Amino acid sequence: MTALPAATERDALSLLTAQAVRDRANMMLNIGLDGGLSHFRIDLDRMDDVADIVLATVAKNYPSHDIPFHARWRHFTIQGVDRWARIAGSMKWPDRAARARAEFDLAIVSVLLDAGAGAAWRYHDKASGQAIGRSEGLAIASLDMFARGVFSSNPRDEFRVDADKLAEFTVAALEQGFQVSAENPLVGLEGRADLLRRLGRLMVSRKAIFESSDTPRPGGLFDHLLARAKGDAIAAPSILHEMLLQLGPIWPSQLTLSGIPLGDCWAHPAIKTGDATSGLVPLHKLSQWLTYSLIEPLQRAGVEVTDIDGLTGLAEYRNGGLFVDLGALVLRAPADAVRAHEVDSTLVVEWRALTIALLDRLAGKIRARLDRDARSLPLASLLEGGTWAAGRAAAYARRADGSPPIKVISDGTVF
């Protein structure tokens, strides 16, 4: 066996990119199409059926095909009322940058808290009277906490997130905010609270990044990105790379390379590259979704975000479940649909990487049918308009609780 070269910082940084996610996902797909994966067969003949379902979902949800990005902001709308827009519209912001910093604060904390809630949990929303589960419930709960100043150290400014407050954030505070009880359990609660504490400590240690215009807060990343914009424009993959560089240490990473934590990156023996990154599969689901969620605040602040389709689809259970439920991905062992799998298992790594590659293929099919291109129908809009909602609908059509077709043991920091 030929020894791999020693890992360098450059090797590690190469995995903290959207291009690496896409490249490794397509590598996994090609291996699967050659029959080389342990857990999945791929049936591309079913992709037309998947496209039919997604197009029907788009026609139902966005008949004009004017589809927003798949971002956290969509989940703040309940019964047709955009809660954040209503709050933000009532505020007298000193300037556009002040609003952008607050929106970065909200988006970053809300996305970090958004890993799967489990089928049983519900947030009882007083304003609508609804009991809201899953991502929408987590979103409204986090927005309510933000609006009450739960994350702020300044009693005169509720709409902010402060590093010192996060650094000491308790599970009890999260339980209260998310209305958790024995009758209303939320999976991964400790993992979520730990993630917030890690973020708080990181911001304190990186004041040059997070307090350039204020005390340390996630919104400092707005100023950091603004300084890297060229002519008031910044590419979406560059935003992701900065998110991975600046927030990477908060993730309880299983893997590091040259001392650099790789975050949502996992090992799979089928991926062979002949260098120090061989066997590694970056996915960066939450970081990419966070990047999608930061685009609109940047745009509102006057920053043009380019190359949005340079990001990838999201390796999570709704998009992935869509391909499994509709037969494009087939488990080799049917028993694997019954038992639960660790997030670092080769089965889950295969599933998530294949999801990303198939989303690219699906996007090509749907654009061809609608006579659109990547600029007029970016992947971020396709995720919102069709695949995520179609995956959820497919799950509920097959399982009463809407659970995904493959059970993943989550600690609240990946999905």
Side-chain angles (χ1 to χ4, degrees):
M1 180 182 294
T2 303
L4 295 177
T8 65
E9 180 178 303
R10 183 175 180 178
D11 292 323
L13 295 179
S14 74
L15 294 173
L16 303 182
T17 66
Q19 191 60 53
V21 174
R22 180 166 273 122
D23 289 346
R24 300 289 165 110
N26 280 302
M27 194 180 301
M28 190 79 78
L29 177 64
N30 289 331
I31 294 168
L33 291 173
D34 288 340
L37 295 180
S38 301
H39 301 287
F40 285 95
R41 290 189 298 103
I42 302 161
D43 187 353
L44 292 182
D45 291 340
R46 300 305 301 271
M47 288 293 285
D48 285 332
D49 293 337
V50 178
D52 289 341
I53 293 294
V54 173
L55 281 166
T57 303
V58 169
K60 177 182 177 182
N61 294 338
Y62 297 97
S64 69
H65 292 167
D66 183 16
I67 310 169
F69 299 143
H70 184 62
R72 193 53 162 166
W73 310 106
R74 308 290 82 78
H75 292 156
F76 295 141
T77 297
I78 300 295
Q79 295 181 335
V81 177
D82 186 332
R83 299 278 182 85
W84 172 245
R86 186 172 62 183
I87 292 170
S90 69
M91 296 286 292
K92 293 184 178 180
W93 303 102
D95 51 35
R96 292 191 296 181
R99 174 171 175 170
R101 291 184 196 105
E103 290 180 334
F104 268 52
D105 281 352
L106 172 58
I108 290 169
V109 168
S110 189
V111 166
L112 293 184
L113 290 172
D114 190 56
W121 178 82
R122 296 291 184 274
Y123 182 69
H124 296 272
D125 175 40
K126 292 180 180 178
S128 67
Q130 290 184 317
I132 311 168
R134 301 199 181 272
S135 284
E136 292 87 344
L138 292 168
I140 295 299
S142 62
L143 176 58
D144 284 350
M145 293 171 73
F146 181 76
R148 292 198 307 270
V150 171
F151 306 113
S152 172
S153 295
N154 185 346
R156 296 185 301 276
D157 184 2
E158 296 94 341
F159 302 111
R160 60 181 292 123
V161 176
D162 285 295
D164 57 347
K165 194 66 175 285
L166 289 193
E168 303 298 329
F169 212 79
T170 65
V171 172
L174 212 52
E175 286 177 332
Q176 182 179 8
F178 283 160
Q179 303 173 352
V180 176
S181 67
E183 295 74 32
N184 192 35
L186 178 66
V187 301
L189 196 64
E190 181 61 57
R192 293 171 213 263
D194 185 56
L195 204 55
L196 294 185
R197 290 191 293 268
R198 286 170 177 261
L199 175 59
R201 293 193 294 268
L202 177 77
M203 289 190 290
V204 171
S205 70
R206 295 189 174 187
K207 292 184 178 182
I209 301 295
F210 293 97
E211 72 165 14
S212 59
S213 298
D214 201 342
T215 53
R217 61 187 292 192
L221 284 170
F222 166 76
D223 300 285
H224 179 72
L225 293 175
L226 194 63
R228 278 152 181 72
K230 298 179 180 178
D232 291 328
I234 189 168
S238 296
I239 299 172
L240 173 65
H241 189 58
E242 287 299 323
M243 292 303 103
L244 292 169
L245 284 177
Q246 305 306 334
L247 299 180
I250 72 172
W251 303 106
S253 179
Q254 303 291 319
L255 299 172
T256 62
L257 202 62
S258 191
I260 296 174
L262 300 179
D264 187 10
C265 180
W266 310 90
H268 194 288
I271 301 298
K272 301 183 186 303
T273 59
D275 62 14
T277 70
S278 190
L280 298 179
V281 184
L283 299 163
H284 304 314
K285 181 264 177 179
L286 278 175
S287 295
Q288 291 210 75
W289 194 45
L290 174 57
T291 300
Y292 282 130
S293 298
L294 297 180
I295 292 173
E296 289 161 76
L298 284 163
Q299 290 173 330
R300 278 191 285 270
V303 180
E304 180 187 3
V305 179
T306 62
D307 193 19
I308 294 171
D309 235 43
L311 301 176
T312 77
L314 302 181
E316 49 80 52
Y317 64 83
R318 288 305 183 203
N319 292 317
L322 175 69
F323 294 118
V324 174
D325 278 334
L326 297 185
L329 293 177
V330 182
L331 284 167
R332 292 188 179 278
D336 282 335
V338 179
R339 65 188 184 87
H341 305 271
E342 297 287 349
V343 74
D344 62 348
S345 66
T346 55
L347 184 149
V348 173
V349 176
E350 281 180 22
W351 182 34
R352 298 180 71 204
L354 292 171
T355 295
I356 290 170
L358 290 179
L359 283 169
D360 276 347
R361 292 206 174 200
L362 180 64
K365 282 182 175 289
I366 289 176
R367 287 169 185 151
R369 293 199 196 181
L370 295 177
D371 194 24
R372 305 281 285 273
D373 58 17
R375 185 175 180 84
S376 61
L377 184 61
L379 189 56
S381 295
L382 183 61
L383 295 171
E384 174 62 26
T387 61
W388 192 88
R392 171 180 276 186
Y396 274 102
R398 290 160 177 79
R399 293 167 294 279
D401 63 355
S403 59
I406 296 171
K407 300 177 179 65
V408 178
I409 301 169
S410 174
D411 66 355
T413 64
V414 176
F415 287 106

